[in-house]
PDB file of all heavy atoms in Angstrom:
ATOM      1  N   LEU A 608     102.957  88.150  38.895  1.00  0.00           N
ATOM      2  CA  LEU A 608     102.991  89.226  39.840  1.00  0.00           C
ATOM      3  C   LEU A 608     102.883  90.597  39.133  1.00  0.00           C
ATOM      4  O   LEU A 608     102.151  91.468  39.535  1.00  0.00           O
ATOM      5  CB  LEU A 608     104.229  89.155  40.722  1.00  0.00           C
ATOM      6  CG  LEU A 608     104.395  90.177  41.797  1.00  0.00           C
ATOM      7  CD1 LEU A 608     103.577  89.775  43.024  1.00  0.00           C
ATOM      8  CD2 LEU A 608     105.867  90.221  42.201  1.00  0.00           C
ATOM      9  N   LEU A 609     103.684  90.702  38.105  1.00  0.00           N
ATOM     10  CA  LEU A 609     103.676  91.987  37.342  1.00  0.00           C
ATOM     11  C   LEU A 609     102.391  92.332  36.685  1.00  0.00           C
ATOM     12  O   LEU A 609     102.095  93.486  36.396  1.00  0.00           O
ATOM     13  CB  LEU A 609     104.824  91.974  36.307  1.00  0.00           C
ATOM     14  CG  LEU A 609     106.239  92.093  36.904  1.00  0.00           C
ATOM     15  CD1 LEU A 609     107.269  92.074  35.716  1.00  0.00           C
ATOM     16  CD2 LEU A 609     106.403  93.334  37.756  1.00  0.00           C
ATOM     17  N   SER A 610     101.599  91.279  36.395  1.00  0.00           N
ATOM     18  CA  SER A 610     100.336  91.545  35.696  1.00  0.00           C
ATOM     19  C   SER A 610      99.183  91.935  36.679  1.00  0.00           C
ATOM     20  O   SER A 610      98.080  92.158  36.262  1.00  0.00           O
ATOM     21  CB  SER A 610      99.903  90.283  34.865  1.00  0.00           C
ATOM     22  OG  SER A 610      99.611  89.227  35.688  1.00  0.00           O
ATOM     23  N   SER A 611      99.468  91.816  37.969  1.00  0.00           N
ATOM     24  CA  SER A 611      98.459  92.169  39.007  1.00  0.00           C
ATOM     25  C   SER A 611      98.305  93.678  38.996  1.00  0.00           C
ATOM     26  O   SER A 611      99.155  94.448  38.593  1.00  0.00           O
ATOM     27  CB  SER A 611      98.862  91.728  40.337  1.00  0.00           C
ATOM     28  OG  SER A 611      99.917  92.411  40.857  1.00  0.00           O
ATOM     29  N   PRO A 612      97.108  94.200  39.432  1.00  0.00           N
ATOM     30  CA  PRO A 612      96.901  95.654  39.503  1.00  0.00           C
ATOM     31  C   PRO A 612      97.899  96.461  40.370  1.00  0.00           C
ATOM     32  O   PRO A 612      98.178  97.584  40.104  1.00  0.00           O
ATOM     33  CB  PRO A 612      95.484  95.772  40.014  1.00  0.00           C
ATOM     34  CG  PRO A 612      94.860  94.416  39.869  1.00  0.00           C
ATOM     35  CD  PRO A 612      95.953  93.422  39.851  1.00  0.00           C
ATOM     36  N   ASN A 613      98.337  95.791  41.407  1.00  0.00           N
ATOM     37  CA  ASN A 613      99.286  96.448  42.329  1.00  0.00           C
ATOM     38  C   ASN A 613     100.442  95.420  42.740  1.00  0.00           C
ATOM     39  O   ASN A 613     100.259  94.673  43.744  1.00  0.00           O
ATOM     40  CB  ASN A 613      98.601  96.936  43.576  1.00  0.00           C
ATOM     41  CG  ASN A 613      99.486  97.745  44.518  1.00  0.00           C
ATOM     42  OD1 ASN A 613     100.691  97.678  44.472  1.00  0.00           O
ATOM     43  ND2 ASN A 613      98.922  98.509  45.394  1.00  0.00           N
ATOM     44  N   PRO A 614     101.413  95.324  41.875  1.00  0.00           N
ATOM     45  CA  PRO A 614     102.444  94.297  42.102  1.00  0.00           C
ATOM     46  C   PRO A 614     103.151  94.390  43.479  1.00  0.00           C
ATOM     47  O   PRO A 614     103.411  93.321  44.102  1.00  0.00           O
ATOM     48  CB  PRO A 614     103.474  94.512  41.009  1.00  0.00           C
ATOM     49  CG  PRO A 614     102.668  95.178  39.891  1.00  0.00           C
ATOM     50  CD  PRO A 614     101.659  95.986  40.626  1.00  0.00           C
ATOM     51  N   THR A 615     103.308  95.575  44.002  1.00  0.00           N
ATOM     52  CA  THR A 615     103.945  95.771  45.303  1.00  0.00           C
ATOM     53  C   THR A 615     103.049  95.144  46.399  1.00  0.00           C
ATOM     54  O   THR A 615     103.544  94.407  47.227  1.00  0.00           O
ATOM     55  CB  THR A 615     104.245  97.256  45.628  1.00  0.00           C
ATOM     56  OG1 THR A 615     105.083  97.723  44.616  1.00  0.00           O
ATOM     57  CG2 THR A 615     104.832  97.438  46.946  1.00  0.00           C
ATOM     58  N   ALA A 616     101.749  95.446  46.370  1.00  0.00           N
ATOM     59  CA  ALA A 616     100.877  94.904  47.351  1.00  0.00           C
ATOM     60  C   ALA A 616     100.705  93.372  47.209  1.00  0.00           C
ATOM     61  O   ALA A 616     100.687  92.622  48.214  1.00  0.00           O
ATOM     62  CB  ALA A 616      99.456  95.561  47.218  1.00  0.00           C
ATOM     63  N   THR A 617     100.656  92.908  45.952  1.00  0.00           N
ATOM     64  CA  THR A 617     100.586  91.489  45.789  1.00  0.00           C
ATOM     65  C   THR A 617     101.773  90.720  46.217  1.00  0.00           C
ATOM     66  O   THR A 617     101.644  89.702  46.896  1.00  0.00           O
ATOM     67  CB  THR A 617     100.364  91.188  44.233  1.00  0.00           C
ATOM     68  OG1 THR A 617      99.163  91.841  43.817  1.00  0.00           O
ATOM     69  CG2 THR A 617     100.167  89.670  43.981  1.00  0.00           C
ATOM     70  N   ALA A 618     102.956  91.323  45.937  1.00  0.00           N
ATOM     71  CA  ALA A 618     104.209  90.689  46.454  1.00  0.00           C
ATOM     72  C   ALA A 618     104.186  90.716  47.988  1.00  0.00           C
ATOM     73  O   ALA A 618     104.499  89.700  48.645  1.00  0.00           O
ATOM     74  CB  ALA A 618     105.418  91.468  45.948  1.00  0.00           C
ATOM     75  N   TRP A 619     103.800  91.815  48.636  1.00  0.00           N
ATOM     76  CA  TRP A 619     103.786  91.945  50.044  1.00  0.00           C
ATOM     77  C   TRP A 619     102.787  90.922  50.654  1.00  0.00           C
ATOM     78  O   TRP A 619     103.144  90.286  51.683  1.00  0.00           O
ATOM     79  CB  TRP A 619     103.384  93.340  50.497  1.00  0.00           C
ATOM     80  CG  TRP A 619     103.243  93.353  51.985  1.00  0.00           C
ATOM     81  CD1 TRP A 619     102.081  93.506  52.694  1.00  0.00           C
ATOM     82  CD2 TRP A 619     104.247  93.179  52.955  1.00  0.00           C
ATOM     83  NE1 TRP A 619     102.331  93.367  54.031  1.00  0.00           N
ATOM     84  CE2 TRP A 619     103.621  93.188  54.227  1.00  0.00           C
ATOM     85  CE3 TRP A 619     105.624  93.081  52.866  1.00  0.00           C
ATOM     86  CZ2 TRP A 619     104.346  93.083  55.400  1.00  0.00           C
ATOM     87  CZ3 TRP A 619     106.381  92.880  54.042  1.00  0.00           C
ATOM     88  CH2 TRP A 619     105.754  92.934  55.297  1.00  0.00           C
ATOM     89  N   ASP A 620     101.631  90.724  50.076  1.00  0.00           N
ATOM     90  CA  ASP A 620     100.693  89.719  50.550  1.00  0.00           C
ATOM     91  C   ASP A 620     101.344  88.352  50.632  1.00  0.00           C
ATOM     92  O   ASP A 620     101.186  87.624  51.599  1.00  0.00           O
ATOM     93  CB  ASP A 620      99.443  89.648  49.712  1.00  0.00           C
ATOM     94  CG  ASP A 620      98.586  90.926  49.824  1.00  0.00           C
ATOM     95  OD1 ASP A 620      98.716  91.657  50.829  1.00  0.00           O
ATOM     96  OD2 ASP A 620      97.658  91.163  48.984  1.00  0.00           O
ATOM     97  N   HIS A 621     102.112  87.988  49.621  1.00  0.00           N
ATOM     98  CA  HIS A 621     102.761  86.709  49.649  1.00  0.00           C
ATOM     99  C   HIS A 621     103.883  86.604  50.679  1.00  0.00           C
ATOM    100  O   HIS A 621     103.981  85.624  51.371  1.00  0.00           O
ATOM    101  CB  HIS A 621     103.426  86.400  48.226  1.00  0.00           C
ATOM    102  CG  HIS A 621     102.418  86.120  47.154  1.00  0.00           C
ATOM    103  ND1 HIS A 621     101.587  84.941  47.170  1.00  0.00           N
ATOM    104  CD2 HIS A 621     102.009  86.768  46.036  1.00  0.00           C
ATOM    105  CE1 HIS A 621     100.789  84.957  46.213  1.00  0.00           C
ATOM    106  NE2 HIS A 621     101.003  86.070  45.484  1.00  0.00           N
ATOM    107  N   VAL A 622     104.613  87.644  50.814  1.00  0.00           N
ATOM    108  CA  VAL A 622     105.709  87.679  51.829  1.00  0.00           C
ATOM    109  C   VAL A 622     105.067  87.644  53.222  1.00  0.00           C
ATOM    110  O   VAL A 622     105.547  86.836  54.075  1.00  0.00           O
ATOM    111  CB  VAL A 622     106.574  88.953  51.703  1.00  0.00           C
ATOM    112  CG1 VAL A 622     107.470  89.130  52.834  1.00  0.00           C
ATOM    113  CG2 VAL A 622     107.301  88.884  50.348  1.00  0.00           C
ATOM    114  N   ALA A 623     104.117  88.464  53.519  1.00  0.00           N
ATOM    115  CA  ALA A 623     103.478  88.485  54.863  1.00  0.00           C
ATOM    116  C   ALA A 623     102.863  87.099  55.127  1.00  0.00           C
ATOM    117  O   ALA A 623     102.949  86.533  56.285  1.00  0.00           O
ATOM    118  CB  ALA A 623     102.407  89.601  54.934  1.00  0.00           C
ATOM    119  N   ALA A 624     102.207  86.485  54.170  1.00  0.00           N
ATOM    120  CA  ALA A 624     101.622  85.130  54.378  1.00  0.00           C
ATOM    121  C   ALA A 624     102.671  84.101  54.594  1.00  0.00           C
ATOM    122  O   ALA A 624     102.577  83.179  55.413  1.00  0.00           O
ATOM    123  CB  ALA A 624     100.766  84.779  53.149  1.00  0.00           C
ATOM    124  N   HIS A 625     103.802  84.208  53.861  1.00  0.00           N
ATOM    125  CA  HIS A 625     104.913  83.311  54.028  1.00  0.00           C
ATOM    126  C   HIS A 625     105.477  83.346  55.440  1.00  0.00           C
ATOM    127  O   HIS A 625     105.701  82.310  56.081  1.00  0.00           O
ATOM    128  CB  HIS A 625     106.020  83.687  53.005  1.00  0.00           C
ATOM    129  CG  HIS A 625     107.186  82.772  53.038  1.00  0.00           C
ATOM    130  ND1 HIS A 625     107.166  81.541  52.353  1.00  0.00           N
ATOM    131  CD2 HIS A 625     108.415  82.887  53.594  1.00  0.00           C
ATOM    132  CE1 HIS A 625     108.402  80.944  52.483  1.00  0.00           C
ATOM    133  NE2 HIS A 625     109.132  81.768  53.272  1.00  0.00           N
ATOM    134  N   VAL A 626     105.593  84.559  55.918  1.00  0.00           N
ATOM    135  CA  VAL A 626     106.106  84.724  57.311  1.00  0.00           C
ATOM    136  C   VAL A 626     105.065  84.192  58.297  1.00  0.00           C
ATOM    137  O   VAL A 626     105.422  83.511  59.293  1.00  0.00           O
ATOM    138  CB  VAL A 626     106.516  86.235  57.572  1.00  0.00           C
ATOM    139  CG1 VAL A 626     106.793  86.465  59.078  1.00  0.00           C
ATOM    140  CG2 VAL A 626     107.678  86.662  56.770  1.00  0.00           C
ATOM    141  N   ALA A 627     103.819  84.505  58.120  1.00  0.00           N
ATOM    142  CA  ALA A 627     102.766  84.137  58.992  1.00  0.00           C
ATOM    143  C   ALA A 627     102.622  82.675  59.165  1.00  0.00           C
ATOM    144  O   ALA A 627     102.306  82.095  60.228  1.00  0.00           O
ATOM    145  CB  ALA A 627     101.398  84.726  58.593  1.00  0.00           C
ATOM    146  N   ARG A 628     102.855  81.870  58.027  1.00  0.00           N
ATOM    147  CA  ARG A 628     102.737  80.443  58.069  1.00  0.00           C
ATOM    148  C   ARG A 628     103.923  79.811  58.837  1.00  0.00           C
ATOM    149  O   ARG A 628     103.751  78.630  59.267  1.00  0.00           O
ATOM    150  CB  ARG A 628     102.778  79.870  56.593  1.00  0.00           C
ATOM    151  CG  ARG A 628     101.463  80.007  55.899  1.00  0.00           C
ATOM    152  CD  ARG A 628     101.445  79.239  54.579  1.00  0.00           C
ATOM    153  NE  ARG A 628     102.492  79.632  53.631  1.00  0.00           N
ATOM    154  CZ  ARG A 628     102.408  80.625  52.707  1.00  0.00           C
ATOM    155  NH1 ARG A 628     101.296  81.247  52.638  1.00  0.00           N
ATOM    156  NH2 ARG A 628     103.395  80.857  51.964  1.00  0.00           N
ATOM    157  N   ARG A 629     104.994  80.528  59.031  1.00  0.00           N
ATOM    158  CA  ARG A 629     106.155  79.875  59.647  1.00  0.00           C
ATOM    159  C   ARG A 629     106.565  80.436  60.968  1.00  0.00           C
ATOM    160  O   ARG A 629     107.483  79.977  61.603  1.00  0.00           O
ATOM    161  CB  ARG A 629     107.361  80.049  58.622  1.00  0.00           C
ATOM    162  CG  ARG A 629     107.196  79.160  57.415  1.00  0.00           C
ATOM    163  CD  ARG A 629     107.989  79.678  56.255  1.00  0.00           C
ATOM    164  NE  ARG A 629     107.873  78.730  55.158  1.00  0.00           N
ATOM    165  CZ  ARG A 629     106.839  78.754  54.248  1.00  0.00           C
ATOM    166  NH1 ARG A 629     105.842  79.635  54.423  1.00  0.00           N
ATOM    167  NH2 ARG A 629     106.775  77.848  53.303  1.00  0.00           N
ATOM    168  N   THR A 630     105.833  81.490  61.456  1.00  0.00           N
ATOM    169  CA  THR A 630     106.196  82.131  62.731  1.00  0.00           C
ATOM    170  C   THR A 630     104.918  82.346  63.482  1.00  0.00           C
ATOM    171  O   THR A 630     103.836  82.507  62.908  1.00  0.00           O
ATOM    172  CB  THR A 630     106.913  83.416  62.592  1.00  0.00           C
ATOM    173  OG1 THR A 630     106.098  84.377  61.831  1.00  0.00           O
ATOM    174  CG2 THR A 630     108.257  83.213  61.846  1.00  0.00           C
ATOM    175  N   PRO A 631     104.983  82.482  64.826  1.00  0.00           N
ATOM    176  CA  PRO A 631     103.801  82.832  65.610  1.00  0.00           C
ATOM    177  C   PRO A 631     103.449  84.336  65.424  1.00  0.00           C
ATOM    178  O   PRO A 631     104.301  85.151  65.142  1.00  0.00           O
ATOM    179  CB  PRO A 631     104.187  82.537  67.063  1.00  0.00           C
ATOM    180  CG  PRO A 631     105.696  82.549  67.056  1.00  0.00           C
ATOM    181  CD  PRO A 631     106.168  82.182  65.694  1.00  0.00           C
ATOM    182  N   ARG A 632     102.214  84.614  65.600  1.00  0.00           N
ATOM    183  CA  ARG A 632     101.707  86.031  65.488  1.00  0.00           C
ATOM    184  C   ARG A 632     102.146  86.694  66.768  1.00  0.00           C
ATOM    185  O   ARG A 632     102.141  86.169  67.800  1.00  0.00           O
ATOM    186  CB  ARG A 632     100.188  85.970  65.403  1.00  0.00           C
ATOM    187  CG  ARG A 632      99.598  87.364  65.093  1.00  0.00           C
ATOM    188  CD  ARG A 632      98.066  87.264  65.031  1.00  0.00           C
ATOM    189  NE  ARG A 632      97.390  88.370  64.489  1.00  0.00           N
ATOM    190  CZ  ARG A 632      97.305  89.564  64.915  1.00  0.00           C
ATOM    191  NH1 ARG A 632      98.062  89.925  65.932  1.00  0.00           N
ATOM    192  NH2 ARG A 632      96.594  90.523  64.325  1.00  0.00           N
ATOM    193  N   LEU A 633     102.578  87.972  66.576  1.00  0.00           N
ATOM    194  CA  LEU A 633     102.986  88.779  67.768  1.00  0.00           C
ATOM    195  C   LEU A 633     101.769  89.221  68.512  1.00  0.00           C
ATOM    196  O   LEU A 633     100.709  89.402  67.891  1.00  0.00           O
ATOM    197  CB  LEU A 633     103.875  89.988  67.238  1.00  0.00           C
ATOM    198  CG  LEU A 633     105.140  89.576  66.491  1.00  0.00           C
ATOM    199  CD1 LEU A 633     105.824  90.846  65.880  1.00  0.00           C
ATOM    200  CD2 LEU A 633     106.121  88.887  67.399  1.00  0.00           C
ATOM    201  N   PRO A 634     101.875  89.450  69.801  1.00  0.00           N
ATOM    202  CA  PRO A 634     100.715  89.837  70.631  1.00  0.00           C
ATOM    203  C   PRO A 634     100.431  91.306  70.469  1.00  0.00           C
ATOM    204  O   PRO A 634     100.683  92.096  71.348  1.00  0.00           O
ATOM    205  CB  PRO A 634     101.148  89.492  72.033  1.00  0.00           C
ATOM    206  CG  PRO A 634     102.626  89.598  72.043  1.00  0.00           C
ATOM    207  CD  PRO A 634     103.067  89.201  70.637  1.00  0.00           C
ATOM    208  N   LEU A 635      99.843  91.740  69.332  1.00  0.00           N
ATOM    209  CA  LEU A 635      99.477  93.100  69.025  1.00  0.00           C
ATOM    210  C   LEU A 635      97.966  93.215  68.879  1.00  0.00           C
ATOM    211  O   LEU A 635      97.397  92.312  68.339  1.00  0.00           O
ATOM    212  CB  LEU A 635     100.181  93.570  67.752  1.00  0.00           C
ATOM    213  CG  LEU A 635     101.672  93.471  67.702  1.00  0.00           C
ATOM    214  CD1 LEU A 635     102.193  93.800  66.316  1.00  0.00           C
ATOM    215  CD2 LEU A 635     102.274  94.438  68.705  1.00  0.00           C
ATOM    216  N   ARG A 636      97.451  94.304  69.402  1.00  0.00           N
ATOM    217  CA  ARG A 636      95.973  94.602  69.235  1.00  0.00           C
ATOM    218  C   ARG A 636      95.815  95.327  67.920  1.00  0.00           C
ATOM    219  O   ARG A 636      96.053  96.522  67.853  1.00  0.00           O
ATOM    220  CB  ARG A 636      95.444  95.350  70.390  1.00  0.00           C
ATOM    221  CG  ARG A 636      95.358  94.482  71.639  1.00  0.00           C
ATOM    222  CD  ARG A 636      94.805  95.260  72.817  1.00  0.00           C
ATOM    223  NE  ARG A 636      96.003  95.706  73.570  1.00  0.00           N
ATOM    224  CZ  ARG A 636      96.028  96.806  74.307  1.00  0.00           C
ATOM    225  NH1 ARG A 636      95.000  97.537  74.486  1.00  0.00           N
ATOM    226  NH2 ARG A 636      97.151  97.068  74.982  1.00  0.00           N
TER     227      ARG A 636
END
């Protein structure tokens, strides 16, 4: 993660994907 160009964004991508795999998407446009 630290070797990625943007560690914060890379970490967030993993967190958001982790949540998305385990919960339903909210009804947002």
